[in-house]
Amino acid sequence: GRYFAEAMRLAPDSALAVIEYTRHIGYEIWNKRLPDDSIREMRALAQKAILLDYEDARGHMFAGMAEMWLRQTVRAEVLLRRAIELNPSLTIAHEQLGTLRILSGRPAAGIPSLELALRLSPNDYRLFLKHGEIGLAHLMLGNLDAALSHAEVAITLRPAYWHAHVTRINALAR
């Protein structure tokens, strides 16, 4: 993180520096389950990135992710959709939009976004996450075979991914 902080110090008005630092904080939050203060810091940086370069979809995407993590689903969806409008190939924005829709009780609406993310980046290191989310959506919809299938793929890709194990257990139990 210190190199990103140094880049921010050297070029405080560089949208790229702000976006890369925001990306770093986002991964720290996700990997370490950091508290809401860190998410608010990420949101502030993403908002700064948007102000510095409104046409860079990544600022909108990171702001949308922060809003989702802060449970501000309407704001999150607006920002994620804007990111996709600016860059239709931004895989993580599609992934996050799908997740948001699932978490807000719209699993059928979330599946197409996640499937598109799979098609856009079939070798992404986060495939386990996408399959886990699709599995959860199918579980919520009562499509138990599809839920189990996606959970199994997610577990194969990341054996310790607890989320997929929960989906798998629920699909088998039902």
Side-chain angles (χ1 to χ4, degrees):
R2 67 184 171 130
Y3 294 114
F4 293 117
E6 180 66 9
M8 293 274 296
R9 187 186 69 73
L10 294 172
D13 293 329
S14 166
L16 182 58
V18 174
I19 287 168
E20 291 302 325
Y21 189 50
T22 305
R23 177 193 320 267
H24 167 72
I25 290 173
Y27 283 120
E28 289 285 302
I29 291 166
W30 194 71
N31 288 324
K32 297 179 181 177
R33 304 294 186 241
L34 297 178
D36 286 358
D37 287 344
S38 297
I39 299 170
R40 283 189 280 279
E41 177 187 5
M42 177 184 166
R43 177 175 61 188
L45 285 167
Q47 290 168 343
K48 180 178 180 178
I50 292 168
L51 290 174
L52 291 170
D53 185 354
Y54 189 78
E55 298 300 314
D56 191 321
R58 296 170 299 172
H60 300 273
M61 178 188 71
F62 289 127
M65 289 168 62
E67 294 293 357
M68 179 173 63
W69 294 343
L70 291 169
R71 294 164 206 78
Q72 300 298 320
T73 57
V74 173
R75 284 187 228 157
E77 186 155 353
V78 167
L79 288 159
L80 290 168
R81 290 171 60 94
R82 179 64 182 145
I84 292 166
E85 286 172 11
L86 290 168
N87 182 349
S89 297
L90 192 56
T91 303
I92 296 175
H94 288 285
E95 170 192 302
Q96 294 298 307
L97 182 60
T99 296
L100 171 71
R101 289 173 171 166
I102 292 166
L103 294 177
S104 62
R106 298 175 288 150
I111 292 171
S113 295
L114 287 155
E115 289 176 340
L116 178 55
L118 284 171
R119 286 192 306 278
L120 287 171
S121 188
N123 298 312
D124 185 1
Y125 73 97
R126 294 165 46 107
L127 288 178
F128 73 94
L129 175 73
K130 293 170 187 59
H131 281 286
E133 294 295 307
I134 294 170
L136 174 62
H138 280 295
L139 181 67
M140 292 170 72
L141 293 168
N143 303 330
L144 303 181
D145 288 340
L148 183 59
S149 176
H150 283 282
E152 294 285 355
V153 171
I155 291 166
T156 299
L157 294 169
R158 173 88 40 105
Y161 187 43
W162 66 269
H163 183 280
H165 285 283
V166 171
T167 298
R168 181 178 181 271
I169 291 166
N170 275 282
L172 289 170
R174 292 181 191 182

XYZ file of all heavy atoms in Angstrom, residues 138 142-150 171:
77
model
N -29.401 -19.541 -8.034
C -30.225 -20.704 -8.394
C -30.828 -21.346 -7.152
O -31.989 -21.781 -7.186
C -29.407 -21.722 -9.192
C -29.256 -21.354 -10.628
N -30.321 -21.295 -11.506
C -28.159 -21.018 -11.360
C -29.899 -20.944 -12.702
N -28.583 -20.759 -12.641
N -34.826 -21.941 -6.304
C -35.286 -23.320 -6.205
C -34.755 -24.233 -7.292
O -35.203 -25.376 -7.421
N -33.806 -23.756 -8.071
C -33.179 -24.571 -9.119
C -32.012 -25.336 -8.492
O -30.849 -24.946 -8.631
C -32.677 -23.687 -10.266
C -33.767 -22.833 -10.866
O -34.931 -23.224 -10.871
N -33.404 -21.669 -11.359
N -32.327 -26.408 -7.810
C -31.337 -27.084 -6.971
C -30.215 -27.744 -7.762
O -29.062 -27.723 -7.331
C -32.037 -28.093 -6.065
C -33.125 -27.493 -5.165
C -33.744 -28.565 -4.291
C -32.571 -26.350 -4.325
N -30.520 -28.337 -8.916
C -29.466 -28.968 -9.717
C -28.462 -27.919 -10.200
O -27.249 -28.145 -10.148
C -30.055 -29.717 -10.910
C -30.790 -30.995 -10.499
O -30.528 -31.498 -9.384
O -31.626 -31.463 -11.289
N -28.956 -26.783 -10.667
C -28.061 -25.718 -11.133
C -27.276 -25.143 -9.963
O -26.083 -24.848 -10.089
C -28.856 -24.619 -11.834
N -27.928 -24.991 -8.810
C -27.238 -24.471 -7.620
C -26.093 -25.403 -7.243
O -24.965 -24.943 -6.994
C -28.217 -24.336 -6.457
N -26.364 -26.686 -7.219
C -25.350 -27.672 -6.868
C -24.216 -27.682 -7.888
O -23.031 -27.714 -7.517
C -25.982 -29.062 -6.758
C -25.064 -30.195 -6.331
C -24.454 -29.925 -4.966
C -25.839 -31.509 -6.326
N -24.554 -27.622 -9.147
C -23.545 -27.639 -10.202
C -22.586 -26.455 -10.076
O -21.363 -26.615 -10.120
C -24.237 -27.621 -11.573
O -23.285 -27.542 -12.602
N -23.121 -25.263 -9.900
C -22.266 -24.077 -9.782
C -21.471 -24.094 -8.479
O -20.306 -23.686 -8.456
C -23.081 -22.798 -9.918
C -23.443 -22.491 -11.334
N -22.551 -21.947 -12.228
C -24.599 -22.676 -12.021
C -23.135 -21.796 -13.400
N -24.377 -22.241 -13.304
N -28.366 -27.047 -1.167
C -28.953 -27.681 -2.341
C -29.131 -29.176 -2.102
O -30.168 -29.758 -2.463
C -28.089 -27.435 -3.579
